[in-house]
């Protein structure tokens, strides 16, 4: 099982991976992340990316994913779809050109065949992250979140979406809430051995889902007033 944890900045992804590995210890996470392949740490600051940085990160992610098969047990901190979200954001700001975006889409579409599940972490009112954002950071975070939300909507509603191969595309599952609630939500999709379970909920899960529904409504409220960006 090849799992990726995706979403805009500072939504609790790293904390979630720590909690996930404490429970599903058969899973591993690669020793080297996208952060390790960028020479200039300043390039990873919110909104500071360039074409060279995006290309270097995408190549690293694609190379890393090729090391694993469907029988592997690996959880990635972000994946090529994240890279594409930031590339589209950079295009909207005039930082990269349209040809580069088109090339990235083709690369990401192929790379997504190497992921089984994407756990998508949207902005929500309930979050394990206590962080005070500057106005610019908050705008950047929200804009990138909108792009991820558009990816999710395309995955849900458009069978001809160019970001995924319709014959072999990953599942995308929203994860939200406190740290404990996020793990509880994950347990609805993975059993104790870390294998995928039937999507039909048990009675116990149905009880948990009533609380999850309330959290989902909060996620929607946090996102409903955000402007949707142009998506290729």
């Amino acid at each position: 099982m090849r799992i990726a944890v995706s979403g805009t900045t500072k939504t609790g992804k790293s904390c979630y991976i720590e909690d996930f590995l404490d429970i599903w210890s058969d899973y591993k996470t690669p020793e080297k992340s996208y952060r390790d392949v960028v020479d200039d740490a300043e390039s990873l600051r919110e909104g500071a990316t360039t074409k060279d940085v995006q290309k270097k990160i995408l190549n690293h992610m694609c190379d890393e994913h090729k090391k694993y098969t469907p029988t592997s047990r690996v959880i990635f901190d972000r994946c090529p779809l994240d890279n594409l979200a930031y590339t589209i954001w950079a295009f909207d700001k005039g930082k990269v050109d349209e040809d580069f975006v088109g090339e990235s889409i083709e690369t990401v579409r192929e790379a997504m065949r190497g992921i089984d599940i994407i756990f998508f972490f949207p902005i929500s009112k309930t979050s394990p992250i206590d962080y005070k954002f500057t106005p610019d950071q908050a705008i950047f975070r929200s804009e990138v979140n909108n792009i991820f939300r558009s990816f999710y909507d395309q995955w849900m509603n458009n069978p001809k979406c160019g970001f995924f191969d319709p014959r072999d595309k990953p599942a995308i599952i929203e994860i939200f809430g406190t740290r404990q609630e996020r793990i509880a939500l994950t347990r609805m999709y993975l059993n104790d051995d870390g294998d995928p379970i039937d999507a039909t909920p048990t009675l116990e899960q149905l009880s948990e889902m009533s609380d999850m529904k309330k959290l989902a409504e909060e996620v929607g409220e946090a996102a409903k007033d955000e402007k949707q960006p142009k998506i290729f």
Side-chain angles (χ1 to χ4, degrees):
M1 179 66 65
R2 299 158 298 182
I3 297 172
V5 178
S6 297
T8 191
T9 183
K10 294 180 174 63
T11 53
K13 297 182 297 298
S14 296
C15 292
Y16 171 81
I17 290 175
E18 291 178 7
D19 295 338
F20 182 100
L21 293 173
D22 282 343
I23 295 170
W24 291 284
S25 56
D26 285 348
Y27 278 78
K28 306 299 179 187
T29 191
E31 292 183 5
K32 208 171 189 180
S33 79
Y34 68 94
R35 300 177 184 87
D36 299 316
V37 301
V38 178
D39 299 327
D40 180 11
E42 183 68 13
S43 298
L44 292 175
R45 184 176 56 81
E46 288 88 344
T49 194
T50 65
K51 182 190 292 188
D52 288 342
V53 168
Q54 289 303 104
K55 188 170 184 177
K56 185 177 290 187
I57 291 174
L58 181 57
N59 288 342
H60 164 75
M61 288 178 168
C62 291
D63 289 343
E64 196 67 34
H65 288 186
K66 290 175 183 176
K67 298 178 182 178
Y68 301 93
T69 69
T71 60
S72 301
R73 289 181 177 269
V74 59
I75 183 166
F76 297 103
D77 180 0
R78 297 188 179 272
C79 70
L81 195 65
D82 293 73
N83 178 269
L84 181 59
Y86 285 93
T87 292
I88 289 176
W89 178 90
F91 170 77
D92 188 58
K93 305 302 180 184
K95 294 174 176 286
V96 303
D97 56 68
E98 188 169 345
D99 287 344
F100 180 71
V101 177
E103 293 169 5
S104 297
I105 289 173
E106 290 301 315
T107 301
V108 169
R109 175 184 169 90
E110 179 63 24
M112 286 297 92
R113 298 174 63 187
I115 297 292
D116 301 303
I117 297 176
I118 296 174
F119 286 136
F120 164 44
F121 283 62
I123 291 175
S124 68
K125 293 181 179 180
T126 305
S127 171
I129 296 297
D130 183 15
Y131 189 90
K132 293 183 178 179
F133 298 97
T134 67
D136 286 346
Q137 287 174 329
I139 291 171
F140 170 77
R141 180 173 179 257
S142 178
E143 289 176 342
V144 175
N145 184 70
N146 287 339
I147 296 172
F148 275 105
R149 178 69 61 186
S150 295
F151 287 163
Y152 182 67
D153 290 343
Q154 288 283 314
W155 178 86
M156 287 283 291
N157 302 309
N158 182 8
K160 296 182 179 180
C161 172
F163 306 132
F164 307 100
D165 184 338
R167 300 162 300 178
D168 187 8
K169 64 180 183 179
I172 300 182
I173 298 167
E174 288 192 70
I175 299 291
F176 43 81
T178 64
R179 293 178 74 154
Q180 294 80 8
E181 289 163 341
R182 292 177 178 198
I183 291 298
L185 185 54
T186 305
R187 287 188 181 277
M188 296 181 184
Y189 300 95
L190 299 180
N191 63 22
D192 290 342
D193 294 325
D195 296 319
I197 60 177
D198 192 299
T200 304
T202 63
L203 290 176
E204 181 180 357
Q205 289 170 333
L206 283 171
S207 175
E208 294 175 353
M209 285 174 68
S210 63
D211 291 332
M212 292 299 175
K213 183 178 179 181
K214 294 176 184 177
L215 289 171
E217 290 172 353
E218 291 184 356
V219 173
E221 289 175 5
K224 67 181 180 181
D225 294 327
E226 295 171 353
K227 180 181 176 183
Q228 293 296 320
K230 173 185 175 183
I231 296 292
F232 282 70

